[in-house]
Amino acid sequence: MATIRESLIGGTLRSLLSYHYHRQHMMDAKGVLKRIERAKGPLSRRLVKQCNDYAIDVFGHRHFAAWLYVYSAVAGKFMEGWIPDNYYGSVVRPRLKGVYGKISGLKSLHPAIFSSESFPDILSYVNGVFFDTDYRVINPDSVKGEIFSGRERVVFKLDNSSRGKGIWFLDRESFDLSKVCGLGNGVFQSLINQHELFREFAGASVATLRMTTVITDTGTTSLRACYLRLGNGTDTHVQSSSHIRIPIDIKTGAFNHVGFTTDWLEIESHPASKVKFEGKLIPVYDDCRKLVTSLHQRVPYARCIGWDLAVDDQERVRIMEWNAQHNDIKFSEATQGPCFSDLQWERLIRSSEETPWIEVVW
């Protein structure tokens, strides 16, 4: 009897979590759609019906239509093969990543996993101990000297930092070891002097190139999406609350002629610097593509990864972050997708623990 009761309680809890998860996604998508519709006009009834029908027929429930509305509003049409962001998070991510995606939040593991000099890591601070990139313990008295050897400023990033949060800029003169220890586990990284092309747009923050790679069932690694993130105005680093995003051609590295604000509204130039996007190319783009596809082979258990890269003034590619958890796919799906239509991710719902039958009202 106890086992049956526990099973029922567990099922109810999963249903409630599923309900709240999809409700939050629907609210987020609704907010984005409203902002797009204010600029472009209402989404047509025909497109709404196509999204609803596709969500039910392919993914099993209408609450998966929410992000399809947004994709259709951005693209101006409906396209089969799109993956709704809440489907990616609730079905694809658990099946194709499991707990392995969580390791991307543990920044001190970069040297052990990748053995790559493309990360600008200097030292890490983990559970009360400082380590260098060879995992040798560093005496606290030597930390300042190690961090600021040949540099005046560094950045400290907390484990699981994302969306531009959990990041501190530290300088030699005001460095306080006790305050840093109070922040939590994380990694010290050298600052990047970015390529002159990106300085044209926003010189105060380092532009990041988000590249999304996947590993197929046969072990093939490929790049599926790419966009550039620029800081806005005087931002010290790129933040999700204020960034500008420009789709990048995954074959050539060419900028799209339009970028997007945080409201998903189209612009043809950077709002602060007024530099136009059209005609620009990502420097050493082939190097960027080769690096992320090769590094993904080091963590094949997480089947889809978002990489944040920078290109410095010496045209070296630097890995700033990697996200193997719920990396963003919705912007790429809306502006470049469908990006994953050949992978048959829609079939994963049949063997998932997701409970899509709970009604969530739009």
Side-chain angles (χ1 to χ4, degrees), residues 61-106:
H61 200 280
R62 192 166 65 90
H63 59 213
F64 291 120
W67 285 111
L68 298 179
Y69 299 155
V70 173
Y71 301 169
S72 299
V74 172
K77 60 183 178 180
F78 176 81
M79 289 188 281
E80 293 187 2
W82 273 330
I83 297 296
D85 195 50
N86 53 327
Y87 180 84
Y88 179 74
S90 63
V91 177
V92 178
R93 184 181 59 82
R95 287 300 308 272
L96 298 187
K97 299 186 185 186
V99 297
Y100 291 98
K102 295 181 179 180
I103 61 175
S104 63
L106 304 177

Side-chain angles (χ1 to χ4, degrees), residues 32 44 62 65 81 178 181 191 201 214 216 248 273 277-278 318 332 338-339 348:
V32 172
S44 71
R62 192 166 65 90
S178 62
C181 293
L191 295 182
F201 292 101
V214 300
T216 66
I248 302 297
S273 64
F277 307 129
E278 189 170 16
R318 314 294 278 167
S332 295
C339 303
L348 298 175

Side-chain angles (χ1 to χ4, degrees), residues 9-312:
I9 293 173
T12 302
L13 179 59
R14 285 195 299 272
S15 296
L16 287 173
L17 290 174
S18 175
Y19 170 83
H20 288 295
Y21 175 83
H22 292 295
R23 184 174 184 274
Q24 184 60 56
H25 267 274
M26 293 180 70
M27 291 172 62
D28 292 344
K30 186 175 184 179
V32 172
L33 182 62
K34 281 185 175 181
R35 294 192 289 273
I36 297 172
E37 287 183 324
R38 279 198 292 266
K40 289 187 170 183
L43 191 65
S44 71
R45 292 184 178 180
R46 177 181 58 83
L47 287 176
V48 169
K49 185 178 187 304
Q50 282 183 284
C51 294
N52 289 338
D53 291 345
Y54 194 76
I56 294 170
D57 294 344
V58 176
F59 303 112
H61 200 280
R62 192 166 65 90
H63 59 213
F64 291 120
W67 285 111
L68 298 179
Y69 299 155
V70 173
Y71 301 169
S72 299
V74 172
K77 60 183 178 180
F78 176 81
M79 289 188 281
E80 293 187 2
W82 273 330
I83 297 296
D85 195 50
N86 53 327
Y87 180 84
Y88 179 74
S90 63
V91 177
V92 178
R93 184 181 59 82
R95 287 300 308 272
L96 298 187
K97 299 186 185 186
V99 297
Y100 291 98
K102 295 181 179 180
I103 61 175
S104 63
L106 304 177
K107 303 184 189 303
S108 62
L109 296 181
H110 294 165
I113 296 172
F114 298 108
S115 300
S116 172
E117 295 182 354
S118 58
F119 288 86
D121 299 0
I122 306 168
L123 297 179
S124 59
Y125 176 70
V126 181
N127 299 333
V129 180
F130 292 93
F131 300 90
D132 66 13
T133 54
D134 290 318
Y135 298 103
R136 293 176 297 218
V137 174
I138 302 299
N139 188 293
D141 294 336
S142 303
V143 167
K144 183 174 181 178
E146 291 279 347
I147 292 174
F148 295 102
S149 175
R151 56 184 74 89
E152 293 298 317
R153 298 188 75 210
V154 298
V155 61
F156 181 72
K157 297 179 180 179
L158 287 179
D159 284 352
N160 297 309
S161 59
S162 63
R163 304 176 68 86
K165 299 179 180 179
I167 297 175
W168 283 266
F169 291 89
L170 311 172
D171 60 74
R172 180 193 296 271
E173 185 176 346
S174 61
F175 182 76
D176 187 327
L177 187 65
S178 62
K179 288 184 179 179
V180 172
C181 293
L183 296 175
N185 295 341
V187 65
F188 297 91
Q189 294 182 333
S190 57
L191 295 182
I192 295 171
N193 294 317
Q194 65 181 336
H195 193 279
E196 60 182 352
L197 180 141
F198 304 120
R199 289 201 301 269
E200 290 182 45
F201 292 101
S205 56
V206 176
T208 60
L209 191 65
R210 168 54 67 94
M211 307 186 86
T212 301
T213 58
V214 300
I215 289 186
T216 66
D217 290 349
T218 59
T220 302
T221 308
S222 60
L223 178 68
R224 295 305 178 111
C226 182
Y227 62 89
L228 181 68
R229 301 171 72 223
L230 298 171
N232 195 348
T234 59
D235 289 345
T236 58
H237 57 285
V238 173
Q239 303 179 64
S240 296
S241 60
S242 58
H243 63 188
I244 305 299
R245 293 179 286 186
I246 305 98
I248 302 297
D249 188 299
I250 64 171
K251 294 181 179 179
T252 67
F255 285 45
N256 196 297
H257 71 285
V258 297
F260 292 80
T261 67
T262 53
D263 286 333
W264 292 67
L265 303 182
E266 296 181 6
I267 54 176
E268 295 184 352
S269 60
H270 191 280
S273 64
K274 309 304 180 185
V275 178
K276 287 187 174 295
F277 307 129
E278 189 170 16
K280 303 291 186 181
L281 288 169
I282 297 295
V284 294
Y285 179 73
D286 283 343
D287 292 347
C288 297
R289 180 171 52 188
K290 290 175 182 177
L291 179 61
V292 295
T293 51
S294 64
L295 289 181
H296 197 159
Q297 291 288 342
R298 304 283 297 184
V299 279
Y301 315 112
R303 303 276 298 279
C304 183
I305 295 177
W307 307 86
D308 289 337
L309 288 70
V311 179
D312 71 14

